Amino acid sequence: MTERPGNPKPRMTRIVKDKAIINALGFPGKGIEYSVQNLKKHNAIKSRIILSISGTIEDEIVECIKLANDFTSAFEINISSPNTSGLKIFQEPSRLRGLIEVIKKHTKKPIIIKFPPWNSFLDNKSEIIKMIETSLNSGIDGMIISNTHPRESKKIKIGKGGLSGKPIFTDTLKMIREIQAINKGFADIIACGGISSANDLWKVLASGAKAAQIYTSLVYEGPRLPSKINNDLIVLMKLAGITKLSDINGDPPKI
Ligand SMILES: Cc1cc2nc3c(=O)[nH]c(=O)nc-3n(C[C@H](O)[C@H](O)[C@H](O)COP(=O)(O)O)c2cc1C
């Protein structure tokens, strides 16, 4: 809601050889009023803006929704940053259900939940699947699978952060395939974690995702990356003889 300093620095480190990042930013920001002023300036492209909101207090999240409701096309609720103390309260299914219900009272815009990752190393799959089932039963419109993976690092002041970038892509793909089994088309899946090329995008779309979110590959490759990925995907689709994203299936064709 109000301005936040985030975690103490250093709070980000690049692992260049792996095209990865570990960050523990802890949501530094200028607050919702400042963000809403920015959103107002971009009202002409509102239909392409999804606002990401996170927080540890239900009332604060609701206040952000109320203030931003007219200036965005959908809300992403991030309950999965590993770097923000207190955020885990919304990973408890009844708290999550309550949060979604109260948000729905204040907006008709689509609600997308950004979930934490799971894998055999984290040993948390059943816990996260419960969160996802609760959210689907509460009528969410989309889910982001998933976020950074918790990792210890001596280069980060607080000693740990979230790993992002290429090393987490295999897990992203696996999670999407597992989620498709329980989702049954109720909510759209947005793939997130290590996506950096049209080949990666093809694989997540073929596994059931409807769209993708990228961050670390943008840091390494620069702002032209999204249009390069889109153009390369068109080339792959032409090679495969298809014209619709929903027809993407199997492995990407070899160039
Ligand atoms: C420096 C940095 C800051 C981030 N800040 C946020 C954030 O404020 N909210 C959020 O939901 N995710 C945040 N993320 C996570 C990314 O949105 C994304 O979920 C994650 O990095 C995995 O995708 P990637 O491998 O494409 O980076 C951040 C990631 C990085 C590297």
Side-chain angles (χ1 to χ4, degrees), residues 12 21 23 25 27 52 76 78 114 146-148 164-165 168 192-194 213-216:
M12 192 175 113
I21 289 175
N23 96 83
L25 262 55
F27 298 143
S52 179
E76 170 196 290
N78 173 15
K114 188 165 182 177
S146 93
N147 205 330
T148 55
S164 60
I168 66 172
C192 177
Q213 184 179 98
I214 60 173
Y215 197 129
T216 303

Side-chain angles (χ1 to χ4, degrees), residues 110-130:
I111 299 167
I112 303 162
I113 306 280
K114 188 165 182 177
F115 291 101
W118 65 94
N119 57 32
S120 48
F121 172 72
L122 293 167
D123 193 23
N124 59 347
K125 183 170 156 186
S126 60
E127 206 182 305
I128 311 244
I129 298 291
K130 259 188 223 135

Side-chain angles (χ1 to χ4, degrees), residues 22-85:
I22 299 177
N23 96 83
L25 262 55
F27 298 143
K30 294 188 172 166
I32 187 67
E33 280 84 5
Y34 182 88
S35 301
V36 168
Q37 289 312 316
N38 266 340
L39 287 172
K40 280 181 184 166
K41 286 184 208 152
H42 297 94
N43 212 26
I45 54 160
K46 181 172 89 170
S47 63
R48 296 167 71 181
I49 294 178
I50 299 175
L51 187 70
S52 179
I53 296 180
S54 194
T56 54
I57 301 166
E58 202 172 275
D59 288 350
E60 284 192 355
I61 295 177
V62 169
E63 198 53 31
C64 291
I65 301 251
K66 283 201 236 164
L67 289 171
N69 195 40
D70 290 340
F71 310 104
T72 185
S73 66
F75 288 103
E76 170 196 290
I77 311 297
N78 173 15
I79 57 160
S80 51
S81 163
N83 316 314
T84 307
S85 56

Side-chain angles (χ1 to χ4, degrees), residues 195-198 201 214 225-234:
I195 295 159
S196 65
S197 66
L201 182 57
I214 60 173
L225 184 65
S227 70
K228 176 170 172 26
I229 291 179
N230 283 340
N231 290 333
D232 290 352
L233 186 70
I234 291 168

Side-chain angles (χ1 to χ4, degrees), residues 9 16 22 28 31 48 53 58 63 74 95 109-110 119 152 155-156 170 191-192 220 223-224 228 233 236:
K9 293 180 181 174
V16 177
I22 299 177
R48 296 167 71 181
I53 296 180
E58 202 172 275
E63 198 53 31
R95 289 296 299 266
K109 301 270 161 80
N119 57 32
E152 289 184 1
K155 292 190 170 162
I156 302 270
T170 315
C192 177
Y220 280 99
R224 295 216 171 107
K228 176 170 172 26
L233 186 70
L236 291 178

